[in-house]
Amino acid sequence: MNSATMTVTILGSGTSTGVPVVACPCAVCTSHDPRNSRTRCSALISHGGRNILIDTTTDLRQQSLREKIKRIDAVLYTHTHADHVHGIDDLRPFNFVAGRAIPIYGSAETIASIRRNFSYIFSEEAEEGYRPRLDPRQISGPFELFGLSVEPLPLHHGSGSSLGFRIGPFAYLTDCSAIPEASQRRLQDLEVLVIDGLRFRPHSTHFNIPQAIEMSARLRAGRTLLTHLSHEVEHADCNKTLPGGVELAFDGQQVELCLNRGDQARI
């Protein structure tokens, strides 16, 4: 892959239940449109022959097979809700390929939670052959990863918090209900924004679609993809109602971005 380009793959565009929702007979859950079939929310950043995964969802194995992912070189964690973390064991095959530990990045709170909730991974007494090999790294500000400048940005997720990530002209903001002013200042003039847009009705811990559209306009994003979608959102019908430059994300969607010195310098 050209080092001047970056490819973003939407691995999963769905909310915590996934879509179809188990035992649900609604029109979206029984739809034949593949864009209405949504695994749990995550993304893959590919650059210079390296793959950076955002979150290890409970559908990571399925997503990896579907997209024919051959390597994972690092993981960025947004937060530790189950749908974003509990596929962590599916990193093991990528250890076999790489032959080394995979660095995982998150806030101090996130790394502490992963160490606590998956203590068998980090225990010196655990059998090495039956756990992922991970290298936890706390982040609190911008850092470089495989030639990319990555900026973690605090988000509000109801009464809790999560991290968004800006990488050059791209930002990924899932699981958020508000964005602090300081983070908004760092998110101006994006070429592509992927942002939480759960449904049309209000929700206490997620942007709904009107709120996500409003935030996109405030950030002056060139193109906006709405993700973390529930089964209340039918792809084709909803897309027709969205303003120009805003669309629904779907599983397997890819976006290629050009990187230049200006993009990197902004971070």
Side-chain angles (χ1 to χ4, degrees), residues 16-165:
S16 58
T17 59
V19 183
V21 178
V22 172
C24 180
C26 79
V28 174
C29 288
T30 57
S31 170
H32 295 295
D33 185 340
R35 297 171 299 180
N36 284 324
S37 182
R38 302 170 180 134
T39 56
R40 267 59 77 97
C41 195
S42 62
L44 188 73
I45 310 299
S46 302
H47 169 73
R50 303 282 192 139
N51 284 332
I52 303 168
L53 179 66
I54 303 181
D55 290 337
T56 54
T57 80
T58 40
D59 297 315
L60 177 56
R61 178 179 179 275
Q62 177 183 348
Q63 294 166 346
S64 298
L65 291 171
R66 186 192 70 215
E67 299 303 322
K68 298 179 173 58
I69 300 173
K70 302 301 183 185
R71 61 186 296 158
I72 297 294
D73 297 288
V75 182
L76 306 177
Y77 279 107
T78 60
H79 65 307
T80 56
H81 284 173
D83 53 318
H84 293 263
V85 176
H86 281 203
I88 195 167
D89 273 340
D90 288 328
L91 291 174
R92 284 194 302 156
F94 298 110
N95 285 140
F96 303 155
V97 172
R100 59 174 177 78
I102 295 172
I104 62 172
Y105 297 84
S107 67
E109 180 183 13
T110 289
I111 294 300
S113 177
I114 290 174
R115 282 186 174 277
R116 180 176 63 253
N117 294 337
F118 300 94
S119 58
Y120 65 91
I121 293 176
F122 306 100
S123 171
E124 294 182 359
E125 298 178 2
E127 294 186 35
E128 185 173 350
Y130 293 92
R131 57 175 176 164
R133 293 172 56 207
L134 306 177
D135 177 12
R137 304 183 184 185
Q138 295 181 18
I139 52 175
S140 58
F143 64 101
E144 185 166 309
L145 187 58
F146 309 131
L148 294 172
S149 294
V150 179
E151 183 169 17
L153 296 161
L155 309 173
H156 297 303
H157 186 22
S159 60
S161 63
S162 64
L163 282 182
F165 295 98

Side-chain angles (χ1 to χ4, degrees), residues 127-267:
E127 294 186 35
E128 185 173 350
Y130 293 92
R131 57 175 176 164
R133 293 172 56 207
L134 306 177
D135 177 12
R137 304 183 184 185
Q138 295 181 18
I139 52 175
S140 58
F143 64 101
E144 185 166 309
L145 187 58
F146 309 131
L148 294 172
S149 294
V150 179
E151 183 169 17
L153 296 161
L155 309 173
H156 297 303
H157 186 22
S159 60
S161 63
S162 64
L163 282 182
F165 295 98
R166 178 166 186 165
I167 304 175
F170 167 78
Y172 187 83
L173 314 176
T174 189
D175 287 61
C176 55
S177 54
I179 301 176
E181 289 293 333
S183 294
Q184 288 188 41
R185 289 193 291 272
R186 303 300 301 162
L187 288 165
Q188 293 295 314
D189 302 317
L190 294 161
E191 184 176 334
V192 176
L193 168 66
V194 178
I195 190 169
D196 188 355
L198 181 70
R199 63 191 190 192
F200 285 96
R201 294 186 295 124
H203 193 277
S204 61
T205 62
H206 294 268
F207 280 138
N208 65 15
I209 288 174
Q211 290 169 328
I213 292 170
E214 179 184 356
M215 181 56 67
S216 168
R218 188 178 302 174
L219 300 179
R220 300 197 296 264
R223 180 184 181 189
T224 297
L225 308 181
L226 305 181
T227 195
H228 214 291
L229 304 166
S230 80
H231 67 150
E232 296 182 27
V233 182
E234 200 287 323
H235 189 97
D237 288 344
C238 178
N239 252 349
K240 295 175 185 176
T241 70
L242 300 177
V246 180
E247 62 196 271
L248 300 181
F250 58 89
D251 286 26
Q253 184 176 17
Q254 289 193 333
V255 178
E256 186 167 304
L257 299 101
C258 292
L259 302 175
N260 55 51
R261 292 180 181 177
D263 293 327
Q264 296 296 302
R266 272 205 300 267
I267 292 186

